[in-house]
Amino acid sequence: MQKAYKRLMAATIVSFSFGLNHQVSAQSDTYQVVSTSYQKPITTFETYIGNKKIETVRYAFGNAQYINDGVMYGSETDRVVDLKNSKQTVKRLAPAPGQIRKYKDAYYVMSLEDMDHSSLTKYTLDFKKVGKTKKFTGYGRHLILIDNKAYVLADHMKGYNYSIKLHTFDTKSFATLHHETITSMLFAYHMRQVGSQLKIYGIRPEHEEKLTVLSYDVKKQRNVKTMTTNQYVKGGVEKTQTLTKETELIFNQDRMYEINHKTKQVRVLYDSKDDLVDYAYDAKTKTYHVLEEITKTAEFRVKTLNSHFKPIAEYRLKKSDSVSPFRVL
């Protein structure tokens, strides 16, 4: 009887400690939800601690799609918001910006002219145009700037012929330096810089459309490695993150995956029956905030995952008819 009592007390202490730790975690679980309107000029940044909303900042800006390098913009408008500017000013730039990147003392804007043409324009940090706009063939997907060079991943469509090209331009004059046709992929979804290499994520038709990662060395100007995984990844690739020297995180609307570049294996880290909209990693708490849309009700929630990608908290967002969440920060 005494042993049973001791075991019961030990279990109670463990349970109480877990509950206390979870409560403390919830009290310090801080994140931001960004929502935009597709009919009115309004975008909101809402800051939460757990379920409690502590701040709302509004911008006279609608159709927001992207947030990076301290700016917010969308391809359906010709305006940009400098998020670091306390005046919350909205600047005008080239129409349909597909990507904006800050490099040294300037912003570089890749605009989408139409399905077959794109352009590059340089702006000051106050978004005043510098020099002439560079127009080029192809539908720009991603823009990365390294060592005074602009790398643009673009789709090329001529009739029924489709190809993927990597364009290299000089950042000062926008002169064409090089272009590479990527023949090993059927589609390319995403590109990011890892050291002196550009990682390009797509699929290969001869491998049943399984996820493929191509490594392009910018110094050697050639493909140095093409790795095809053992699994078809539904929904393409939207975001990636380095986890370890050999592994990286792949995020899309369907799931969160881990790719092991040594074993070429893909492991599911987190799966949901609902659509994944966005995620943000909190380095301080080593947790992941995942923004999800509940398909049955069209409502949104934020789930907090621990470092093992296990849900430890869930926060339902209040439904709004005026704005829709698209980012978590």
Side-chain angles (χ1 to χ4, degrees):
M1 183 71 177
Q2 190 174 9
K3 291 183 178 179
Y5 175 76
K6 288 182 178 180
R7 286 197 296 269
L8 177 61
M9 288 300 295
T12 302
I13 293 172
V14 170
S15 177
F16 175 76
S17 299
F18 176 80
L20 182 62
N21 289 336
H22 182 75
Q23 185 179 9
V24 172
S25 175
Q27 290 175 351
S28 60
D29 204 0
T30 305
Y31 56 95
Q32 276 189 321
V33 175
V34 188
S35 304
T36 193
S37 171
Y38 299 101
Q39 288 82 34
K40 300 178 180 179
I42 180 172
T43 297
T44 62
F45 281 66
E46 297 177 321
T47 303
Y48 291 84
I49 298 180
N51 276 315
K52 185 178 180 181
K53 182 166 61 176
I54 63 171
E55 184 183 34
T56 299
V57 179
R58 292 178 174 84
Y59 292 87
F61 182 83
N63 284 289
Q65 291 176 276
Y66 312 109
I67 298 174
N68 60 267
D69 291 354
V71 294
M72 176 172 64
Y73 54 101
S75 60
E76 299 297 321
T77 181
D78 62 350
R79 300 174 188 272
V80 62
V81 178
D82 183 354
L83 298 174
K84 302 182 296 299
N85 190 322
S86 59
K87 296 180 181 179
Q88 303 177 12
T89 54
V90 179
K91 298 286 187 178
R92 188 182 294 272
L93 42 65
Q99 201 156 54
I100 300 176
R101 291 295 176 187
K102 183 179 179 182
Y103 182 67
K104 294 186 176 180
D105 58 347
Y107 283 111
Y108 291 80
V109 179
M110 179 184 70
S111 296
L112 308 174
E113 305 282 332
D114 53 46
M115 293 301 294
D116 296 317
H117 300 89
S118 302
S119 64
L120 281 176
T121 308
K122 183 179 179 180
Y123 291 87
T124 65
L125 295 182
D126 195 36
F127 283 98
K128 295 179 180 178
K129 185 179 176 182
V130 179
K132 295 182 179 180
T133 295
K134 171 72 173 184
K135 295 187 177 183
F136 59 94
T137 303
Y139 186 84
R141 283 190 172 271
H142 287 274
L143 168 66
I144 292 179
L145 297 114
I146 314 170
D147 297 331
N148 297 318
K149 296 180 178 65
Y151 296 90
V152 177
L153 183 69
D155 296 335
H156 284 253
M157 183 70 72
K158 290 184 178 180
Y160 293 100
N161 297 322
Y162 173 84
S163 63
I164 303 165
K165 292 186 184 294
L166 181 63
H167 299 273
T168 306
F169 303 106
D170 178 80
T171 55
K172 295 181 180 180
S173 64
F174 285 146
T176 301
L177 302 177
H178 183 71
H179 72 266
E180 187 89 10
T181 301
I182 300 172
T183 59
S184 58
M185 286 184 175
L186 177 63
F187 291 109
Y189 300 112
H190 182 73
M191 178 174 70
R192 74 180 179 117
Q193 177 189 356
V194 181
S196 63
Q197 293 185 356
L198 298 177
K199 300 287 187 181
I200 300 173
Y201 304 81
I203 56 175
R204 300 179 69 175
E206 66 271 26
H207 288 81
E208 299 178 351
E209 298 188 1
K210 293 178 180 177
L211 180 64
T212 297
V213 182
L214 183 148
S215 299
Y216 181 85
D217 192 305
V218 297
K219 294 181 179 179
K220 298 178 181 178
Q221 290 189 337
R222 65 181 179 88
N223 173 22
V224 293
K225 182 181 179 182
T226 301
M227 186 269 288
T228 301
T229 67
N230 66 330
Q231 185 173 335
Y232 167 67
V233 179
K234 181 182 176 182
V237 176
E238 296 178 21
K239 296 175 69 172
T240 62
Q241 175 188 330
T242 299
L243 296 176
T244 67
K245 186 178 179 180
E246 297 174 348
T247 62
E248 66 178 319
L249 170 66
I250 303 293
F251 176 87
N252 61 27
Q253 189 178 15
D254 185 46
R255 294 171 177 171
M256 298 174 77
Y257 298 89
E258 176 195 79
I259 289 183
N260 189 308
H261 286 270
K262 184 176 181 180
T263 64
K264 299 183 181 181
Q265 300 296 306
V266 174
R267 179 169 67 97
V268 176
L269 298 173
Y270 175 68
D271 194 1
S272 175
K273 62 181 180 180
D274 297 306
D275 289 339
L276 307 185
V277 180
D278 190 35
Y279 88 93
Y281 177 65
D282 189 334
K284 292 182 179 179
T285 59
K286 296 182 179 179
T287 57
Y288 297 82
H289 297 299
V290 183
L291 177 63
E292 299 183 11
E293 181 177 8
I294 305 171
T295 53
K296 290 184 179 180
T297 63
E299 295 178 303
F300 292 84
R301 66 182 171 215
V302 173
K303 279 189 179 180
T304 300
L305 314 181
N306 62 17
S307 58
H308 301 288
F309 295 90
K310 301 298 182 183
I312 57 175
E314 179 180 328
Y315 310 107
R316 291 290 184 103
L317 302 178
K318 187 177 180 180
K319 193 171 182 179
S320 171
D321 294 329
S322 57
V323 294
S324 179
F326 74 99
R327 282 289 179 273
V328 61
L329 304 171

